[in-house]
Amino acid sequence: MIQKLMYEFAELIAPNLWVSADELVSDVVIAPDNVKWDFAFPCFKRAKTLWKNPVEISKDIVSKIQPSGSFSEIISVWPYVNAVLDSENFVKNVIEKVEKENADFWRGESTWKQFLLEWWQPNTHKAIHIWHIRNILVSESNARILEYAWNEVIKCCYPWDIWAHVAKWIWYYTKFYQWEMPKDNFSKWVWTLYSDATKKADENPDTYKPEIWDLQKRLEDWDEELVKIWKETRELCLQDMKKIFAELGSEEIDKWYFESEVEKPWIELVRKLQAEWKAVISEWALAINLEEYDLWWFLLLKSNWASLYSTKDIWLAFKKQEDYPNYSKSLYIVWSEQEHHFAQLFKTLEIMWIDHDKLQHISYWLVDLKEWKMSSRAWNVILYEDFRDQLLEKAESMVADRDIPADEKKETARKIAFWAMKFGMLLQDSEKKIIFDLQTALSFEWETWPYLQYTTARMYSILRKNTRDINWNIDCNLLATDEEKALLLKLASFEEEVQKAANEYKPNYIARWCLDVAQLFNSYYHNYKIIDEWNIELSKARLHLLHSILQVMKNALNLLWIDAVESM
């Protein structure tokens, strides 16, 4: 809505500068909070072409146009042409649109595209840790934002369930481990063995690493004894993985691709690259030369024809194209250290006839706890279970004194913990590293989930206090304070915020929008009485505004995989 209003303003100005509105609209801005105007057009750029002072240009433009449509005033203020919205029409349009569309408010116009969203590539035989959690939260939120912007999203999960890391794990398990598998905490046990395997291999790499490579080749050749161990432990790992999906509230995955299913067909295709002189073999590997693209050599197979990640990624790209031939974009949400890998992969796929423009790597940076820095190389890993339990412990202490049934208290603490986890990670730009502070994440200070939780609970509480049967005909002129207009402008900006988040794959835009609305509302609440028994018409108008704010806030929070809290 804001973009449409800006364009309408540009249309008023354009004829007086002998240009199109399309050329001007990018210069139109929302006026600062400390002035009474709503939109402003700076005239500095026109001074050079018109040979006039910007102040004179502003005065000339205003003298030639009359306010119309959405605007009640057009004013010249120094080098700016300023526009004031017709308050009654603006208020009416925003509130009526919210009440009509509710959960679909400002979803924008449909430009249907099909996105393949490859998220959370967890490994079996390794731990699920805090870095994986940021991946799934960024992925799920992006999926919701893209769907809200009228796109179809196919959520794909690609677990790495075999070969290199599994071979190392099975090598250690069969050579050094002498006890039974545990029935509980299987993921933690698996991680302990994997870290022990890596440390053991590093003790004598000349002996142990060739043993691991040989075992990997036997596993790839489906050695019966090794495959039996692999299948049993793989299934237990997948069960734990799905348990974590459920805890986070994940919906069903649309398509599962397993690393163990993708390799053999594309070893043959990679060999075809060699036959066509696009890849070359040496004594140590099969690779494709990408030096002319400043991407060096891209390794495709080891010298013993064992596969690499690249082998499987190539197959997976073609398999996705086979399964979803009409997709618009294939998105890979993978941590930032893999940027070079994906640059090489996408160029190789382009050589192999897949449109490079349909492939995109969405990188995210990693996470540390304030009290605990994580390093996978040092095996100082923050496991998902430990991270979750710390949040739950702190959330339970927050609700310990509440006079509510024990089961309700436990469920409340669970919601607080998981929503604080989600909001705390999604508020940050995914391309920046997070130092996650457990204490801050659960505080009621600005820029935290509890602050938003408190705000939505306050909104619900006010609506519950209203005892009158209020019809939906209101006097829009009564919503005339600066705070009310600021809130309505923020609601009207939601469409642009969603489109921006969808175009840039940045859920933090939505999280920041939620905080801005919460801050505006709390300021408004402290300065004005929403329910005034002595002024029924004003109360009706403000309750309508409150209802609209809450509805759009619920929509926004849903994009972050969070529910609005009705009570504290």
Side-chain angles (χ1 to χ4, degrees):
M1 184 178 191
I2 293 295
Q3 194 62 37
K4 290 177 182 176
L5 291 170
M6 288 179 167
Y7 193 84
E8 185 181 340
F9 183 30
E11 285 182 315
L12 289 175
I13 298 171
N16 300 284
L17 295 175
W18 304 285
V19 295
S20 69
D22 291 330
E23 293 178 68
L24 295 185
V25 69
S26 61
D27 292 332
V28 176
V29 297
I30 297 176
D33 294 338
N34 61 337
V35 300
K36 70 173 185 176
W37 307 286
D38 300 311
F39 296 102
F41 175 78
C43 299
F44 302 104
K45 285 185 182 179
R46 308 297 154 181
K48 188 174 182 179
T49 55
L50 297 176
W51 292 87
K52 281 186 177 181
N53 184 296
V55 176
E56 292 179 20
I57 297 172
S58 172
K59 289 179 179 178
D60 286 348
I61 292 172
V62 172
S63 69
K64 295 173 183 176
I65 60 178
Q66 294 294 320
S68 61
S70 301
F71 304 102
S72 60
E73 290 183 81
I74 306 292
I75 306 164
S76 172
V77 181
W78 295 101
Y80 293 90
V81 178
N82 295 279
V84 179
L85 287 166
D86 181 326
S87 183
E88 182 177 7
N89 286 334
F90 175 63
V91 172
K92 182 179 179 182
N93 288 340
V94 173
I95 290 180
E96 284 187 351
K97 191 169 183 66
V98 176
E99 292 168 359
K100 179 182 178 181
E101 298 179 359
N102 288 310
D104 288 333
F105 176 72
W106 284 133
R107 290 187 68 179
E109 297 179 2
S110 176
T111 56
W112 185 90
K113 294 179 181 178
Q114 186 183 70
F115 287 83
L116 307 183
L117 184 65
E118 184 185 311
W119 70 338
W120 200 358
Q121 302 84 9
N123 298 317
T124 63
H125 301 81
K126 281 189 179 181
I128 302 298
H129 53 64
I130 195 172
W131 294 349
H132 292 115
I133 301 308
R134 190 175 197 190
N135 180 301
I136 190 173
L137 297 181
V138 169
S139 300
E140 175 66 23
S141 185
N142 269 306
R144 289 172 177 237
I145 290 167
L146 287 167
E147 287 172 343
Y148 196 83
W150 294 110
N151 299 294
E152 180 187 11
V153 179
I154 309 297
K155 293 189 287 188
C156 308
C157 187
Y158 177 43
W160 295 356
D161 64 332
I162 202 165
W163 308 153
H165 73 282
V166 178
K168 183 190 292 185
W169 190 93
I170 293 177
W171 166 79
Y172 184 85
Y173 174 74
T174 55
K175 188 178 180 73
F176 298 103
Y177 191 76
Q178 301 176 1
W179 300 271
E180 295 291 326
M181 291 185 191
K183 295 181 179 180
D184 300 318
N185 297 317
F186 191 77
S187 292
K188 285 189 175 183
W189 173 75
V190 161
W191 172 249
T192 300
L193 258 65
Y194 182 79
S195 59
D196 289 346
T198 301
K199 292 171 186 175
K200 178 62 74 172
D202 289 341
E203 289 177 5
N204 190 354
D206 292 340
T207 300
Y208 290 151
K209 288 190 176 180
E211 289 181 5
I212 295 170
W213 293 339
D214 178 66
L215 189 146
Q216 179 182 344
K217 191 67 174 64
R218 288 166 53 208
L219 192 57
E220 291 179 5
D221 292 337
W222 296 96
D223 177 281
E224 184 176 348
E225 181 182 352
L226 295 178
V227 167
K228 181 181 178 182
I229 297 170
W230 167 67
K231 284 185 176 180
E232 180 183 2
T233 52
R234 172 186 182 271
E235 181 57 32
L236 292 169
C237 289
L238 289 173
Q239 287 177 16
D240 264 18
M241 192 185 301
K242 291 175 181 178
K243 208 178 290 182
I244 292 171
F245 275 177
E247 280 192 357
L248 291 169
S250 177
E251 298 172 3
E252 287 296 317
I253 303 297
D254 298 308
K255 185 68 176 179
W256 288 83
Y257 294 101
F258 291 97
E259 188 186 15
S260 56
E261 298 172 352
V262 307
E263 179 188 13
K264 290 296 182 182
W266 275 97
I267 286 182
E268 296 305 316
L269 191 116
V270 167
R271 285 173 171 170
K272 186 179 178 183
L273 271 177
Q274 180 194 6
E276 295 181 359
W277 302 101
K278 291 177 181 175
V280 297
I281 191 168
S282 71
E283 62 182 15
W284 50 273
L286 179 73
I288 185 166
N289 187 355
L290 302 176
E291 288 182 318
E292 65 179 291
Y293 310 107
D294 296 323
L295 292 172
W296 202 57
W297 287 79
F298 189 38
L299 303 184
L300 303 173
L301 288 171
K302 294 178 183 177
S303 58
N304 65 353
W305 294 99
S307 62
L308 296 164
Y309 290 136
S310 54
T311 320
K312 300 150 194 174
D313 280 342
I314 289 171
W315 181 91
L316 184 59
F318 277 87
K319 180 59 177 171
K320 287 177 184 175
Q321 184 170 259
E322 177 186 319
D323 292 343
Y324 303 98
N326 298 317
Y327 76 85
S328 304
K329 204 87 169 176
S330 181
L331 306 176
Y332 296 74
I333 300 184
V334 182
W335 70 314
S336 55
E337 287 195 9
Q338 296 298 316
E339 285 180 1
H340 185 67
H341 167 79
F342 282 105
Q344 290 183 313
L345 173 65
F346 295 165
K347 179 54 67 176
T348 302
L349 290 171
E350 183 181 0
I351 292 169
M352 298 174 75
W353 318 291
I354 285 185
D355 186 352
H356 188 289
D357 292 338
K358 296 175 75 172
L359 308 170
Q360 185 164 344
H361 171 216
I362 301 173
S363 66
Y364 67 92
W365 276 77
L366 306 181
V367 186
D368 280 330
L369 293 186
K370 186 177 180 181
E371 305 86 354
W372 186 0
K373 294 191 181 301
M374 176 168 163
S375 169
S376 59
R377 292 180 181 177
W379 310 109
N380 181 26
V381 171
I382 304 167
L383 300 181
Y384 161 75
E385 294 87 349
D386 294 335
F387 179 52
R388 174 203 63 199
D389 291 347
Q390 286 184 59
L391 276 170
L392 282 170
E393 183 181 351
K394 290 182 181 294
E396 286 167 359
S397 68
M398 290 172 63
V399 301
D401 296 332
R402 294 190 189 179
D403 187 19
I404 54 177
D407 56 343
E408 184 179 336
K409 190 178 292 186
K410 184 175 182 180
E411 178 61 15
T412 300
R414 190 193 68 80
K415 289 178 178 178
I416 291 172
F418 278 94
W419 291 341
M421 178 197 300
K422 293 174 181 180
F423 189 80
M425 289 201 184
L426 293 174
L427 177 61
Q428 311 301 323
D429 186 335
S430 57
E431 294 184 5
K432 295 180 180 178
K433 185 175 181 178
I434 294 178
I435 304 298
F436 196 96
D437 186 339
L438 294 167
Q439 197 64 40
T440 300
L442 291 169
S443 76
F444 283 87
E445 297 175 1
W446 167 240
E447 297 201 347
T448 64
W449 163 243
Y451 176 80
L452 275 182
Q453 170 187 323
Y454 179 76
T455 303
T456 60
R458 171 177 278 170
M459 293 179 190
Y460 274 110
S461 176
I462 295 168
L463 290 173
R464 284 194 297 268
K465 288 177 182 176
N466 173 51
T467 58
R468 294 180 180 275
D469 182 16
I470 298 177
N471 61 53
W472 295 108
N473 296 316
I474 63 170
D475 182 355
C476 294
N477 285 317
L478 294 174
L479 298 175
T481 69
D482 291 343
E483 290 88 345
E484 286 161 343
K485 178 173 275 192
L487 279 162
L488 286 159
L489 280 167
K490 202 66 186 176
L491 297 187
S493 73
F494 186 60
E495 177 184 16
E496 284 78 16
E497 213 63 46
V498 171
Q499 286 298 332
K500 184 181 176 184
N503 292 339
E504 299 182 31
Y505 313 111
K506 298 272 191 170
N508 59 295
Y509 293 154
I510 304 299
R512 180 63 56 185
W513 183 93
C514 290
L515 285 175
D516 290 345
V517 172
Q519 186 179 38
L520 287 169
F521 172 76
N522 285 321
S523 176
Y524 175 60
Y525 172 80
H526 286 297
N527 291 325
Y528 298 94
K529 184 182 287 188
I530 294 177
I531 298 177
D532 186 347
E533 294 298 329
W534 300 100
N535 194 335
I536 302 303
E537 292 304 312
L538 179 60
S539 295
K540 284 170 55 178
R542 287 180 172 170
L543 284 167
H544 274 274
L545 173 60
L546 175 57
H547 178 271
S548 297
I549 297 166
L550 181 56
Q551 179 61 61
V552 186
M553 179 72 90
K554 286 164 61 179
N555 295 357
L557 288 172
N558 184 59
L559 300 182
L560 302 176
W561 206 1
I562 294 171
D563 295 332
V565 172
E566 296 190 23
S567 61
M568 291 293 291

